[in-house]
Amino acid sequence: MAMDRYVITGKQRLEGRLRNSGAKNASLPLLAASLLVSGKTTLLDIPHLADIGNMIEVLEYLGARVDAQQEALLVDASDLARCEVDEGLMRQMRASNLILGPILARNGRVRISKPGGCAIGSRPMDQHIKGLQELGVKVKEKHGYIEAWADQLKGAKIYLDLPSVGATENLMMTAVLAKGTTTIYNAAREPEIIDLQNFLNKMGAKIRGAGMDVLRIEGVSKLYPVEHTVIPDRIEAGTHMVAAVMTQGDIEISNVIPEHLEPVTAKLLQAGAEIIIGDDTIRVKGNRRIKGVDCKTMPHPGFPTDMQPQFMALLSTAEGTSVITETIFENRFQHVDELRRMGAQITVEGRTAIIRGVESLEGAFVEATDLRAGAALFLAALAAEEATVLEKVGHIDRGYDNLEEKYRSVGAKLKRVKS
């Protein structure tokens, strides 16, 4: 991971149009699902990100051929050579565990090392494994590896203890080729789950219920390659929306699905931003200093944990006191110390942060500890007095495609310095 730095001159009013990229968190499961078919899958609008590159490496290691063209990514999984993934590749990225279901469904066995840790908290595999066992899979866990095999996948009723996105996706991809019907209760409801359902159904799967908490999957015997355009990235769009408000700017964001942004839109309106919603555009104007608001992160359709750090940056300069409660990840306040270096007044008690708004943040030397913390500091720097040096921007590359060019095009003053 390149550990370059950004030098950002603050207090520039951002104005203009930005095109939002395809969704990282939808692209990763789609890439994994392309392993379910023999033949060429065409995926459109997949963003150019470090995490996507890692997933492509995993696919190629398994024997798939991946051809990146201008707009399209072609995945040909006709000949899969392996059923296991080496530990080095798995450790690069959390979402590599999404190949568990597809390889199992296609080849009847799989062996992966447990995915690497994540800076913001543990993301256990127990829900994935419990669900697979219900589908008739035998699982052995030892020495940090998960080995799973099944002679015949059988439909089942699966209750998830919590609505895990990864487990829901993995179990969907396994159950599509199982014999009989599978019902997943307390399934995750994220838009990325709906996108995966639409993709699998195009391929010939029979899934319904995505976006609700009960999913029904009728197993089929075979799937076929298709072409599919990934949904827009709601977290990137949300980040741009916050940028407009923080710089008292005026930004129109294209390639969005406004419904996916409702929790973020609602909070920004409550804080006093002006928002104009089109069919696939959102225009955000920040005309004045906003008012403090309280936020609590929840599984979708609640307020997304992936927008919590950016909102903390925003509320650091709001009028009055705001309270943010983080219910999803245990370590998701790593940006607090860095924001404090910029003059933010934030007190943390357990999973709650109390933010007393200041008139303005000040430029400082800060560093990104994880992807969304990096985004928060990037936003804080755009709004701060003077210049900020933001270290370890490789974290930001994991989730934002072409960030510098996008922001320069709307008036930001920043440069990237190679490490």
Side-chain angles (χ1 to χ4, degrees):
M1 187 187 289
M3 281 308 170
D4 301 349
R5 59 174 63 149
Y6 280 144
V7 180
I8 301 166
T9 308
K11 283 279 181 266
Q12 307 296 316
R13 182 171 184 271
L14 302 186
E15 196 174 347
R17 287 192 62 144
L18 288 176
R19 184 186 182 275
N20 190 35
S21 301
K24 171 184 106 140
N25 289 338
S27 300
L28 294 166
L30 297 181
L31 283 165
S34 63
L35 294 168
L36 286 162
V37 287
S38 180
K40 256 191 198 153
T41 303
T42 305
L43 295 171
L44 303 171
D45 215 16
I46 301 281
H48 301 281
L49 300 170
D51 276 6
I52 301 290
N54 290 338
M55 190 61 138
I56 290 171
E57 266 186 75
V58 170
L59 266 54
E60 289 178 332
Y61 181 83
L62 290 163
R65 287 203 296 282
V66 184
D67 182 20
Q69 299 182 342
Q70 254 340 85
E71 296 300 311
L73 207 54
L74 308 178
V75 182
D76 185 348
S78 301
D79 313 307
L80 290 187
R82 297 187 172 101
C83 294
E84 57 176 273
V85 178
D86 110 298
E87 190 178 2
L89 279 178
M90 289 296 297
R91 285 211 166 278
Q92 288 176 23
M93 177 188 56
R94 291 281 341 166
S96 49
N97 62 20
L98 290 172
I99 62 152
L100 193 61
I103 295 289
L104 195 54
R106 183 150 163 201
N107 286 341
R109 59 177 214 85
V110 64
R111 181 172 182 263
I112 62 169
S113 82
K114 289 190 179 172
C118 180
I120 55 178
S122 67
R123 304 195 190 183
M125 292 287 293
D126 54 345
Q127 297 294 309
H128 303 242
I129 290 165
K130 201 181 78 171
L132 290 173
Q133 287 168 330
E134 299 284 342
L135 294 169
V137 177
K138 301 202 172 35
V139 181
K140 201 160 72 183
E141 292 183 80
K142 62 175 194 199
H143 307 311
Y145 274 85
I146 297 169
E147 206 166 326
W149 65 97
D151 298 329
Q152 171 72 65
L153 294 166
K154 295 188 271 300
K157 288 192 161 129
I158 300 170
Y159 296 87
L160 294 178
D161 295 339
L162 69 167
S164 154
V165 176
T168 302
E169 290 167 343
N170 242 332
L171 296 171
M172 280 168 80
M173 292 187 281
T174 312
V176 285
L177 293 176
K179 204 173 172 62
T181 303
T182 299
T183 312
I184 303 174
Y185 297 93
N186 198 21
R189 296 165 59 182
E190 270 66 10
E192 293 76 14
I193 305 278
I194 302 172
D195 202 29
L196 180 60
Q197 169 182 287
N198 293 343
F199 178 57
L200 292 168
N201 283 350
K202 266 190 207 171
M203 291 165 128
K206 294 182 177 168
I207 309 171
R208 54 183 204 278
M212 326 255 227
D213 55 1
V214 180
L215 273 171
R216 287 197 173 75
I217 304 154
E218 263 180 77
V220 296
S221 58
K222 190 170 168 36
L223 297 171
Y224 303 91
V226 294
E227 176 174 304
H228 183 80
T229 304
V230 68
I231 56 171
D233 196 312
R234 62 198 169 98
I235 305 302
E236 185 196 322
T239 304
H240 300 328
M241 289 168 78
V242 172
V245 180
M246 284 192 77
T247 62
Q248 296 192 350
D250 180 353
I251 298 178
E252 185 176 73
I253 306 148
S254 62
N255 190 37
V256 295
I257 298 175
E259 291 76 21
H260 293 175
L261 290 156
E262 275 167 5
V264 172
T265 303
K267 281 292 164 201
L268 287 175
L269 287 170
Q270 196 187 331
E274 189 186 334
I275 299 178
I276 301 149
I277 296 173
D279 293 337
D280 59 354
T281 60
I282 284 193
R283 183 174 171 191
V284 183
K285 297 183 186 181
N287 305 326
R288 55 187 179 278
R289 188 176 175 198
I290 57 152
K291 302 187 295 288
V293 292
D294 296 347
C295 289
K296 182 179 192 176
T297 63
M298 296 292 279
H300 195 79
F303 189 85
T305 177
D306 276 353
M307 281 301 302
Q308 178 263 104
Q310 298 90 309
F311 254 72
M312 193 177 291
L314 171 70
L315 295 172
S316 297
T317 61
E319 258 176 59
T321 300
S322 308
V323 179
I324 292 182
T325 310
E326 173 58 65
T327 72
I328 311 287
F329 287 117
E330 63 269 28
N331 298 335
R332 198 156 217 177
F333 283 151
Q334 300 193 36
H335 41 287
V336 170
D337 287 341
E338 301 300 300
L339 286 170
R340 282 192 192 128
R341 293 171 72 105
M342 299 179 74
Q345 296 193 354
I346 306 169
T347 321
V348 175
E349 291 168 16
R351 289 194 171 203
T352 301
I354 297 145
I355 303 139
R356 288 177 190 77
V358 294
E359 278 284 326
S360 189
L361 296 171
E362 298 139 23
F365 276 83
V366 289
E367 79 173 40
T369 50
D370 60 76
L371 165 55
R372 306 301 172 189
L377 295 167
F378 180 79
L379 294 173
L382 291 172
E385 304 276 357
E386 275 123 28
T388 296
V389 177
L390 173 53
E391 306 268 6
K392 297 198 175 170
V393 298
H395 287 297
I396 301 177
D397 298 339
R398 286 186 41 228
Y400 293 92
D401 187 356
N402 214 349
L403 192 70
E404 296 115 85
E405 275 177 48
K406 282 184 182 174
Y407 274 80
R408 276 203 203 98
S409 76
V410 291
K413 287 194 174 164
L414 73 151
K415 62 170 191 270
R416 185 169 180 136
V417 182
K418 296 280 178 205
S419 58

